[in-house]
């Protein structure tokens, strides 16, 4: 269903002050189902019996059991995996006091991060009051519903009172991420920075600028880990917080007042080892940094702009270690490294609170992970940077898949050791394996591919450049820093469309009219040379180059004038594929076919061939298996291949299954380097219980690559799953072409087109 939302703020002449990022963000939030979260049932509700078990009359039984033993709520309800993100909107994401309702997009976003990174279900709750007692009263009675409370974007000093009181009143973890999340990640970075510079924590002199929630939490955690009270100077907008100061003080600032002659931030920084900034852009100058001790550690964490940039620091102190809150610099202090995994560990042991021991354990686990060898897939995702422990890598990157198996176990163990765990974990090794299985492999794979493309930007042709979706996709591709987009079409049409939909003229966009291009003659010669012995005249080649944008785009890629192309909105898949084949050949020794990636319930399944070959021969089925397995590996998945048939290991017996059996025999002779078996039904391939009925089967886990016996079954099954199965879909991805080309479906969204453009550019990296 089309989205209906007010676009008046992002269209026309009134739109001059609106950035492309703002437009894209508003469109993303408003398109489809508004917002970023929805509720999905976890049990079948298809029949009357299902309803009678889930609701009346059967639901009475778990109710009665919980009434007798409240701990059973964790067994019979979602409580044990449910966190509330609660705010009153008084300190929204550096924007200030916007109020509860305006803060809702941030809280929904936080809920999404909980799910994405740690598989924690989360619901945002916006409490419309600035009164501390009213807020506490509204939250304290929610304990039966949730396994934990994540307080968010509440201004200081009220946040201190609220968190402390709720921790006393509730028997579930209460955690204010603005305070403790930043403190934990910065503490992890500090552990490694001190180690790299050869410092003793007990002798380290620290200056903190910013006496709000995060600044005070950072000081308290640093002191708990060994930084001495007298070696920490806290500053606010009025200067140093010293013993005897009365102006602008409160009990939380007073707790960190020290005896010092320094009265300004500049004076405090003289000879200091560490600066931690949680204040505002420009609060620190290069001159101040120059007065610090040798090998200074500077954590400039103000958002969106740091107190001082790494470039400004390096200009005066080449020996400095620098961290910021920004993703475009090394050493990002990013709370997403902490809160999802801290709650994951706390929930899994049913902790009654998140205490100091758990925070320290999280910080140490994060620091330790940065010292480990970085897996190839993580290194590849951040190509262009060397992810090796050292001054530019003291904190793991947010998309490191090892975070989920490193931090929650450390937090859970600390909870058990400190006596706040109500359900201790017996087998920690099994727990770590279970955690790794929770991670959404598709998100990690696409992020790795996207980061690799961003680090090695390519020139990509959007063949249907006059189409609104392709224009939006090209602009989004450019704005994301993914490469250089080229739109094929008439410039006046494209510019008019951009104006009508409120997109600014982007200098990074290149527009080429095939009729007017100085390369048209060269492309015509190229095409005629390929077609002259296939019944084509020169004027036929000339007409195709002038009028068929897919052919023009393909010629750009074939000649090296562009690195990749994407198309598909105005032609069905097979027609677009036929046009491109006039220009680009298969990779020597490989087949061309379509592979579709399905993501559902945390599983990723590669299905092929979904677009090209009607009835593959046994040899072709074997080739498809080999190439799809290779592609799966490129996307970060170890292939387990099932050769699919309606027959499972000869039952029912039929000659039509023979092609699939022969394909398996061919793979046997080739001695391939991946696990495979067949012929088997799709249900057996995907269901571990059914797979268990065949102990001789080489697949000991469900398959993640399905090689289909023919195009009919592949296409019908894929489209049914896409429309009815609730799966996310990537593709079909064109495999086996000698140049990077991807074809979208005709109903693709701008976001789908961007994904396919990223995949095409990723192919160009090889």
């Amino acid at each position: 269903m089309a989205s209906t939302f007010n676009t008046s703020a992002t269209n026309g002449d009134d739109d001059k002050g609106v950035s492309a990022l703002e437009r894209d963000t508003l469109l993303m939030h408003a398109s489809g189902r508004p917002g970023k979260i929805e509720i999905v049932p976890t049990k079948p509700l298809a029949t009357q019996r299902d309803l009678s078990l889930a609701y009346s009359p059967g639901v009475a039984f778990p109710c009665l059991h919980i009434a007798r033993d409240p701990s059973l709520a964790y067994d019979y309800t979602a409580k044990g995996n449910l966190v509330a993100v609660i705010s009153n909107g008084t300190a929204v994401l550096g924007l200030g006091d916007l109020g509860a309702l305006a803060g809702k997009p941030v809280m929904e976003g936080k809920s999404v991060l909980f799910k994405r990174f740690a598989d924690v279900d989360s619901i945002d709750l916006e409490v419309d009051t600035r009164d501390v007692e009213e807020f506490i009263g509204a939250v304290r009675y929610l304990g039966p519903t949730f396994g934990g409370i994540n307080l968010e974007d509440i201004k200081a000093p009220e946040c201190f009172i609220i968190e402390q009181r709720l921790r006393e009143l509730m028997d579930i973890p209460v955690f204010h991420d603005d305070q403790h999340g930043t403190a934990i990640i910065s503490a992890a970075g500090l552990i490694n920075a001190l180690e790299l510079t050869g410092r003793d924590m007990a002798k380290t002199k620290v200056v903190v600028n910013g006496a709000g929630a995060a600044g005070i939490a950072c000081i308290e955690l640093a002191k708990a880990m060994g930084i001495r009270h007298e070696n920490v100077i806290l500053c606010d907008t009025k200067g140093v917080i010293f013993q005897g100061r009365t102006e602008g003080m409160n009990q939380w600032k007073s707790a960190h007042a020290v005896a010092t002659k320094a009265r300004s931030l500049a004076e405090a920084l003289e000879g200091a080892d560490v600066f931690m900034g949680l204040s505002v852009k420009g609060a620190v100058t290069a001159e101040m940094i120059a007065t610090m001790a040798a090998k200074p550690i500077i954590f400039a964490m103000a958002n969106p702009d740091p107190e001082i940039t790494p470039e400004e620091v390096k200009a005066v102190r080449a020996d400095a270690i620098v961290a910021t809150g920004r993703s475009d610099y090394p050493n990002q202090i990013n709370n997403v490294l902490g809160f999802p995994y801290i709650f994951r560990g706390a929930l899994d042991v049913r902790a009654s609170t998140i205490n100091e021991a758990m925070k320290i354990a999280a910080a140490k686990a994060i620091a330790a992970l940065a010292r480990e060898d970085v897996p190839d897939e993580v290194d590849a995702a951040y190509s262009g940077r060397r992810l090796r422990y050292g001054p530019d890598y003291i904190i793991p990157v947010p998309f490191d898949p090892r975070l989920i198996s490193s931090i929650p176990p450390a937090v859970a163990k600390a909870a058990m050791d400190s006596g706040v765990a109500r359900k201790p974990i017996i087998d920690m090794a099994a727990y770590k394996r279970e955690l790794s299985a929770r991670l959404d492999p598709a998100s990690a794979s696409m992020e790795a591919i996207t980061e690799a493309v961003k680090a090695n930007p390519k020139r990509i042709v959007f063949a249907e450049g006059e189409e609104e979706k392709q224009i939006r996709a090209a602009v989004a591709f450019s704005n994301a820093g993914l490469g250089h987009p080229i739109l094929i079409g008439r410039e006046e049409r494209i510019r008019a469309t951009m104006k009508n939909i409120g997109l600014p003229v982007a200098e990074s966009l290149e527009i080429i009219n095939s009729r007017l291009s100085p390369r048209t003659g060269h492309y015509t010669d190229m095409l005629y040379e390929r077609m002259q012995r296939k019944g084509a005249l020169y004027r036929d080649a000339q007409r195709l180059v002038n009028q068929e944008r897919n052919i023009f785009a393909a010629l750009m890629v074939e000649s090296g004038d562009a690195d990749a192309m994407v198309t598909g909105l105005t032609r069905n898949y097979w027609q677009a594929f036929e046009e491109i084949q006039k220009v680009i050949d298969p990779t020597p020794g490989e087949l061309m076919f379509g592979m579709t990636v399905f993501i559902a319930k945390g599983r990723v399944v590669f299905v092929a061939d979904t677009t090209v070959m009607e009835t593959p021969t046994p040899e072709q089925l074997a080739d498809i298996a080999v190439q799809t397995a290779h592609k799966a590996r490129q996307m970060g998945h170890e292939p387990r291949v099932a050769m699919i048939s309606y027959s499972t290991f000869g039952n029912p017996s039929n000659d039509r299954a023979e092609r699939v059996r022969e394909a398996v025999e061919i793979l046997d002779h080739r001695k391939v380097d991946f696990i495979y078996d067949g012929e088997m039904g799709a249900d057996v391939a995907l269901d571990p219980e059914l797979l268990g009925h065949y102990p001789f089967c080489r697949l000991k886990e469900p398959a993640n690559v399905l090689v289909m016996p023919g195009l009919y079954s592949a296409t019908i099954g894929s489209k049914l799953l896409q429309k009815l199965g609730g799966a996310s879909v990537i593709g079909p991805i064109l495999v086996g072409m000698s140049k990077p080309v991807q074809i979208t479906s005709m109903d693709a969204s701008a976001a789908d087109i961007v994904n396919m453009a990223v995949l095409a550019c990723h192919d160009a990296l090889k």
Side-chain angles (χ1 to χ4, degrees):
M1 184 174 67
S3 169
T4 55
F5 63 98
N6 184 358
T7 59
S8 60
T10 58
N11 282 329
D13 295 334
D14 296 333
D15 189 39
K16 294 178 180 178
V18 180
S19 70
L21 177 61
E22 181 175 348
R23 286 186 198 86
D24 291 346
T25 303
L26 293 175
L27 181 63
M28 186 273 274
H29 280 76
S31 61
R33 181 176 299 197
K36 298 187 284 283
I37 61 175
E38 66 174 323
I39 303 297
V40 178
T42 60
K43 301 296 187 293
L45 299 172
T47 67
Q48 181 59 46
R49 175 171 169 74
D50 293 339
L51 295 176
S52 70
L53 295 175
Y55 196 55
S56 182
V59 76
F61 297 111
C63 292
L64 292 171
H65 281 266
I66 292 169
R68 290 192 291 269
D69 180 359
S71 69
L72 291 175
Y74 289 91
D75 298 315
Y76 296 137
T77 76
K79 175 182 171 72
N81 197 52
L82 191 60
V83 168
V85 176
I86 305 181
S87 179
N88 62 1
T90 53
V92 178
L93 202 65
L95 301 173
D97 188 349
L98 298 184
L101 185 59
K104 185 173 176 63
V106 177
M107 305 314 131
E108 282 190 2
K110 195 67 175 278
S111 296
V112 170
L113 294 178
F114 267 112
K115 188 66 177 177
R116 161 63 182 86
F117 287 99
D119 193 26
V120 173
D121 296 319
S122 180
I123 295 175
D124 63 295
L125 298 173
E126 290 71 40
V127 181
D128 192 13
T129 181
R130 290 168 176 79
D131 183 273
V132 169
E133 293 302 322
E134 288 181 350
F135 188 95
I136 292 170
V139 176
R140 64 175 295 189
Y141 297 111
L142 297 174
T145 301
F146 298 100
I149 303 291
N150 184 100
L151 299 174
E152 192 78 14
D153 290 356
I154 304 168
K155 71 182 182 72
E158 289 89 337
C159 62
F160 302 122
I161 302 169
I162 288 170
E163 187 195 37
Q164 183 59 40
R165 289 277 304 283
L166 288 173
R167 288 183 64 186
E168 294 168 355
L169 292 167
M170 304 183 78
D171 65 348
I172 57 175
V174 177
F175 185 84
H176 185 208
D177 186 50
D178 299 310
Q179 295 180 60
H180 308 300
T182 304
I184 290 165
I185 312 309
S186 61
L190 185 61
I191 291 169
N192 285 337
L194 292 176
E195 193 271 341
L196 287 167
T197 56
R199 286 183 166 93
D200 181 349
M201 192 170 282
K203 297 177 182 178
T204 299
K205 295 180 179 179
V206 180
V207 176
V208 177
N209 192 49
I216 287 176
C218 285
I219 288 179
E220 290 178 344
L221 187 59
K223 289 179 178 178
M225 295 178 66
I227 299 289
R228 297 175 67 86
H229 170 78
E230 61 270 22
N231 287 343
V232 180
I233 295 178
L234 175 62
C235 301
D236 62 8
T237 55
K238 301 182 185 304
V240 171
I241 294 172
F242 57 89
Q243 287 181 358
R245 184 180 127 173
T246 57
E247 185 183 8
M249 296 295 286
N250 58 42
Q251 68 187 78
W252 297 278
K253 294 181 184 179
S254 297
H256 302 288
V258 293
T260 177
K261 293 181 180 179
R263 292 297 181 265
S264 68
L265 176 61
E267 292 174 356
L269 281 172
E270 292 179 13
D273 298 301
V274 178
F275 168 73
M276 301 181 77
L278 299 116
S279 51
V280 294
K281 174 185 178 182
V284 178
T285 65
E287 291 75 19
M288 295 180 192
I289 298 298
T291 68
M292 293 180 69
K295 298 181 181 178
I297 299 166
I298 295 117
F299 286 9
M301 297 178 280
N303 264 323
D305 298 301
E307 286 83 358
I308 185 169
T309 66
E311 294 91 342
E312 291 169 324
V313 171
K314 295 295 183 180
V316 293
R317 297 301 298 266
D319 59 342
I321 292 179
V322 186
T324 72
R326 292 263 296 263
S327 61
D328 52 344
Y329 290 121
N331 298 328
Q332 184 189 16
I333 307 295
N334 190 332
N335 283 19
V336 81
L337 294 172
F339 70 85
Y341 310 110
I342 292 164
F343 268 99
R344 178 75 274 152
L347 291 171
D348 290 339
V349 293
R350 299 182 187 173
S352 58
T353 187
I354 294 174
N355 58 25
E356 210 78 348
M358 296 161 73
K359 297 173 199 172
I360 292 172
K364 289 181 176 179
I366 295 167
L369 185 59
R371 301 185 191 196
E372 294 181 12
D373 184 46
V374 179
D376 291 343
E377 64 268 24
V378 178
D379 224 8
Y382 291 86
S383 51
R385 287 173 51 189
R386 182 174 173 80
L387 299 184
R388 298 293 181 270
Y389 179 57
D392 288 334
Y393 182 67
I394 59 173
I395 303 167
V397 289
F399 287 94
D400 191 324
R402 299 171 299 167
L403 288 163
I404 195 170
S405 59
S406 300
I407 303 171
V411 172
K413 185 176 185 304
M416 292 187 287
D417 292 345
S418 60
V420 299
R422 290 176 287 200
K423 185 188 176 186
I425 293 170
I426 307 302
D427 187 342
M428 193 61 73
Y431 175 55
K432 290 180 180 180
R433 290 193 296 272
E434 177 191 322
L435 288 168
S436 296
R438 282 181 176 271
L439 191 67
D440 180 353
S443 298
S445 295
M446 279 306 296
E447 183 60 29
I449 290 169
T450 301
E451 288 298 325
V453 168
K454 189 180 292 186
N456 300 275
K458 300 295 182 183
R459 289 169 55 85
I460 181 165
V461 186
F462 291 79
E464 299 150 313
E466 293 181 7
E467 297 298 311
E468 179 181 326
K469 287 181 183 178
Q470 281 227 338
I471 294 171
R472 285 191 181 278
V475 171
F477 188 89
S478 174
N479 290 341
L482 293 166
H484 180 79
I486 303 166
L487 293 168
I488 305 301
R490 291 163 290 186
E491 184 166 2
E492 66 278 9
R493 288 280 188 96
I494 294 171
R495 299 291 186 200
T497 300
M498 294 176 73
K499 182 178 180 180
N500 289 337
I501 62 179
L503 286 174
V505 176
E507 294 182 3
S508 59
L509 286 183
E510 183 178 348
I511 300 173
I512 295 178
N513 186 327
S514 57
R515 288 178 179 272
L516 304 178
S517 171
R519 300 284 285 165
T520 297
H522 173 65
Y523 294 159
T524 301
D525 292 342
M526 283 179 60
L527 185 61
Y528 179 58
E529 186 177 345
R530 289 178 60 88
M531 296 178 61
Q532 59 191 356
R533 292 186 179 275
K534 297 180 181 178
L537 301 176
Y538 188 84
R539 66 171 177 259
D540 296 324
Q542 193 171 43
R543 175 183 57 79
L544 290 172
V545 171
N546 284 332
Q547 296 181 10
E548 297 297 338
R549 291 170 188 170
N550 284 336
I551 287 178
F552 187 89
L555 286 161
M556 287 188 70
V557 176
E558 179 66 23
S559 66
D561 292 338
D563 299 302
M565 70 170 280
V566 63
T567 188
L569 287 180
T570 61
R571 300 278 196 280
N572 67 50
Y573 191 98
W574 294 274
Q575 187 175 356
F577 181 55
E578 184 180 343
E579 290 173 349
I580 292 164
Q581 282 185 290
K582 286 182 168 66
V583 178
I584 300 175
D585 293 323
T587 300
E590 293 191 5
L591 294 177
M592 285 195 294
F593 62 89
M595 178 189 77
T596 304
V597 186
F598 294 93
I599 307 104
K601 298 180 180 179
R603 294 171 64 178
V604 178
V605 178
F606 301 83
V607 180
D609 167 23
T610 54
T611 56
V612 178
M613 308 191 72
E614 183 175 331
T615 308
T617 66
E619 188 76 28
Q620 289 170 331
L621 286 172
D623 289 341
I624 291 169
V626 170
Q627 290 177 235
T628 308
H630 176 67
K631 197 71 178 177
R633 277 205 178 112
Q634 286 182 342
M635 296 180 71
H637 300 266
E638 186 57 32
R640 300 183 300 275
V641 178
M643 309 299 288
I644 299 301
S645 171
Y646 71 92
S647 170
T648 298
F649 301 118
N651 184 21
S653 179
N654 191 290
D655 291 343
R656 293 186 179 183
E658 190 61 34
R659 282 186 306 114
V660 182
R661 293 190 206 108
E662 289 181 25
V664 174
E665 292 172 3
I666 291 169
L667 291 173
D668 291 340
H669 289 300
R670 291 188 185 182
K671 302 187 185 309
V672 296
D673 63 349
F674 55 85
I675 299 171
Y676 62 92
D677 212 337
E679 84 282 9
M680 65 177 70
D683 54 345
V684 174
L686 297 173
D687 189 326
E689 186 174 341
L690 291 176
L691 200 57
H693 292 304
Y694 304 94
F696 56 84
C697 181
R698 299 167 189 165
L699 298 177
K700 302 307 178 186
E701 297 179 65
N704 59 4
V705 174
L706 306 183
V707 177
M708 305 299 278
L711 192 58
Y712 291 115
S713 55
T715 303
I716 293 170
S718 296
K719 292 185 182 299
L720 279 172
L721 183 59
Q722 183 174 351
K723 295 300 181 182
L724 299 178
S728 299
V729 180
I730 301 173
I733 299 167
L734 190 56
V735 178
M737 196 156 251
S738 61
K739 299 289 183 178
V741 176
Q742 292 301 336
I743 304 171
T744 70
S745 61
M746 294 177 70
D747 63 349
S749 66
D752 294 331
I753 297 169
V754 171
N755 281 339
M756 295 300 280
V758 167
L759 290 169
C761 287
H762 189 254
D763 284 340
L765 299 180
K766 304 179 200 34

